[in-house]
Amino acid sequence: MKPILGSQRAKLGILAVLGLLGAGAWWASAGANPEQTAPAPRVLRFATWDGSESLLIQQRIAAAFEARHPGVKVQVEAYGGGYNQKLSAAFGAGNPPDVMYMWNFPQYQRVLEPLDAYLARDARIDKGDFVPGLWRFSTVWDADQKQSRIYGVPAGFTAQVIYYNKDMLDRAGLAYPQEGWTWGELRQMAQRLRNPAAKAYGFGLDVNPDPYDFQSYLWSAGGRMLGADGVSVQGHLNSPESKAMFAYLQELLRSDTVATLGVGDGRNQRQMFVSDKVAMLLDGSAFRLELAQDRKRFGVVGLPSFQGRPAQSVLSVSALAMAKSSQQKDLAWDFIQFFSSAEAVRLRGNDLPVLLSVAAEQGLAQDPLVRPFYAMAESMKESPAHLLNPRWMRAQDVVRDAIQEVFLSKQGDSAAILDRAALKAERRLR
């Protein structure tokens, strides 16, 4: 074998180096490491208060939106408990999500983007297809512009209904309650269902309720917590109509006809209903899903009327809103629009559809376990107190304490309790 001379070794070394350099250039041009050159995705932040199955559904909706928008990543932020505090902190720090679940629009109005212009130019959202009354919850008076503005697109809702335990009613030989019934009929049924030996009651009353939900009782009696002027609590919370409803419920409690829920011994209304300890109670649509999981035989019916007045239910409404400070408002609007589309509404199977077309498509108008929610949604004529005054939360605790005092006081004068509470609550608003 002929040996390689020194000069030849040098030449071959140079050629080898050049070859390696050429190979490196080729690999670079061929994109051997594409991650380093791929553009970063646009991130859209979406905050929700939901967890569990609802959160998984929202994540699937986000994935479906991403599939339609290549290069976009929806970051679903599950705030869970303490949602309002966390959202307020995010706004305070100047770092809010682009899109968020919202219910208290008067409180957040100044940091939210008005959506009227988006709705006006986007035919994909048909406001007439939504359950009547939902848009009023995201419509707020803009004092600076001297007009009402829309700050959110409805995403979910529930009304209040009466749930009844079919097993307990069947054993008592009672017919199931029908639409258009009265509080007098409810009381008669509750008396027949009361079984002291079995510690069973005909009706369960939450004596420490959220004041928001308790508005259904007062409205059905012709009363309310707050006047239309947004500051007058006196003459409303303590009106003759409101006092009449309180007195009626107070008498039910004193007669041992109904069970007290929400205080003391930690009675859980779901457990009591499933175990045949309570035959009837008031609740929203989420309770329907819980009872279905328990395989409980139950029915639902609209709220009873009081003293000849039509029953009214307060609605709990969620909507999607956009941060005014968002730097990608067009993308945020596209996500809001998609979230309210029929496709996304169908995916949210654990919510009542906010679109009438989807409700009709799914036959919910004929479903006896769902139809009463839509009927009660149409019953609401009053405005919830928080929509009348953005400072209502200052007075709400006073009202909550008064409700509990009325129901738990053995000898207390409910009229005097309400008079004191109305005066104190109004002072907090003025």
Side-chain angles (χ1 to χ4, degrees):
M1 181 175 178
K2 187 176 180 180
I4 300 177
L5 302 177
S7 60
Q8 290 176 316
R9 293 193 188 98
K11 186 180 294 185
L12 289 174
I14 293 172
L15 291 173
V17 171
L18 292 174
L20 290 172
L21 291 173
W26 181 86
W27 279 107
S29 64
N33 192 7
E35 296 89 348
Q36 296 180 353
T37 58
R42 295 175 62 190
V43 177
L44 182 77
R45 296 172 57 204
F46 164 49
T48 175
W49 53 58
D50 281 318
S52 190
E53 180 62 25
S54 294
L55 177 59
L56 294 176
I57 291 173
Q58 290 163 16
Q59 290 171 338
R60 288 197 286 271
I61 293 174
F65 181 80
E66 291 171 351
R68 290 161 175 76
H69 296 76
V72 171
K73 170 65 178 176
V74 178
Q75 180 173 298
V76 181
E77 301 178 359
Y79 288 5
Y83 180 84
N84 286 330
Q85 293 86 344
K86 294 174 184 177
L87 187 62
S88 295
F91 274 110
N95 187 35
D98 298 286
V99 178
M100 70 222 68
Y101 261 102
M102 178 60 60
W103 72 274
N104 195 343
F105 284 91
Q107 182 176 351
Y108 287 90
Q109 171 189 4
R110 293 191 177 279
V111 293
L112 299 179
E113 176 76 3
L115 302 180
D116 306 81
Y118 297 88
L119 289 163
R121 66 172 180 258
D122 196 333
R124 294 175 296 178
I125 293 183
D126 178 8
K127 291 176 61 179
D129 191 24
F130 285 76
V131 173
L134 300 190
W135 287 95
R136 66 192 290 188
F137 283 80
S138 56
T139 303
V140 183
W141 177 258
D142 186 330
D144 295 333
Q145 299 295 323
K146 301 295 187 295
Q147 62 179 324
S148 293
R149 289 191 166 188
I150 297 173
Y151 292 89
V153 176
F157 84 99
T158 185
Q160 300 288 317
V161 300
I162 297 292
Y163 286 79
Y164 57 87
N165 184 320
K166 288 186 174 182
D167 293 329
M168 294 182 70
L169 268 66
D170 288 347
R171 286 196 295 267
L174 293 174
Y176 299 151
Q178 301 295 315
E179 297 296 339
W181 65 324
T182 67
W183 272 101
E185 291 172 318
L186 183 149
R187 180 173 185 168
Q188 292 174 3
M189 293 178 65
Q191 290 171 336
R192 291 187 58 181
L193 289 160
R194 177 72 170 105
N195 185 343
K199 297 182 179 180
Y201 295 84
F203 182 66
L205 177 66
D206 186 352
V207 297
N208 186 26
D210 185 330
Y212 184 89
D213 294 333
F214 195 80
Q215 290 174 109
S216 293
Y217 288 100
L218 298 186
W219 291 351
S220 295
R224 60 184 61 85
M225 292 181 181
L226 184 64
D229 63 359
V231 293
S232 300
V233 183
Q234 296 186 89
H236 299 287
L237 177 64
N238 61 338
S239 68
E241 294 81 6
S242 295
K243 288 180 177 178
M245 174 53 82
F246 272 104
Y248 188 86
L249 297 175
Q250 192 177 39
E251 177 56 30
L252 289 181
L253 289 170
R254 289 176 175 172
S255 66
D256 197 35
T257 303
V258 307
T260 58
L261 303 176
V263 297
D265 56 9
R267 288 171 172 168
N268 179 287
Q269 68 174 28
R270 176 178 177 183
Q271 294 174 353
M272 294 188 72
F273 192 91
V274 172
S275 61
D276 294 348
K277 299 300 182 183
V278 168
M280 297 179 289
L281 49 80
L282 183 148
D283 212 321
S285 63
F287 195 55
R288 172 179 59 94
L289 302 179
E290 295 175 359
L291 295 179
Q293 293 175 355
D294 295 326
R295 300 180 181 276
K296 185 63 183 174
R297 295 181 64 242
F298 69 96
V300 298
V301 64
L303 301 183
S305 64
F306 185 73
Q307 296 182 344
R309 294 183 176 87
Q312 288 192 57
S313 171
V314 67
L315 299 185
S316 296
V317 179
S318 61
L320 256 59
M322 183 195 309
K324 183 179 291 186
S325 60
S326 173
Q327 298 301 303
Q328 41 192 356
K329 292 179 180 177
D330 287 341
L331 182 62
W333 171 251
D334 284 342
F335 181 75
I336 292 174
Q337 181 280 322
F338 181 72
F339 202 90
S340 64
S341 68
E343 178 183 350
V345 170
R346 293 188 196 103
L347 287 174
R348 299 201 299 279
N350 55 351
D351 287 336
L352 296 173
V354 294
L355 297 181
L356 296 174
S357 57
V358 175
E361 169 190 298
Q362 297 177 351
L364 299 182
Q366 289 75 44
D367 187 338
L369 295 180
V370 179
R371 183 176 62 244
F373 291 98
Y374 286 88
M376 292 311 301
E378 296 184 7
S379 75
M380 193 186 77
K381 309 303 179 185
E382 296 283 345
S383 292
H386 81 283
L387 294 182
L388 298 173
N389 190 325
R391 301 187 304 277
W392 171 247
M393 295 304 171
R394 299 179 182 179
Q396 181 170 276
D397 289 343
V398 175
V399 176
R400 175 186 284 109
D401 292 344
I403 294 172
Q404 187 170 357
E405 185 180 357
V406 167
F407 290 147
L408 298 183
S409 175
K410 297 299 183 182
Q411 304 298 329
D413 182 349
S414 62
I417 293 171
L418 294 173
D419 287 340
R420 291 195 300 269
L423 176 61
K424 184 176 180 180
E426 185 170 318
R427 283 175 175 171
R428 291 194 176 185
L429 296 178
R430 290 189 180 277

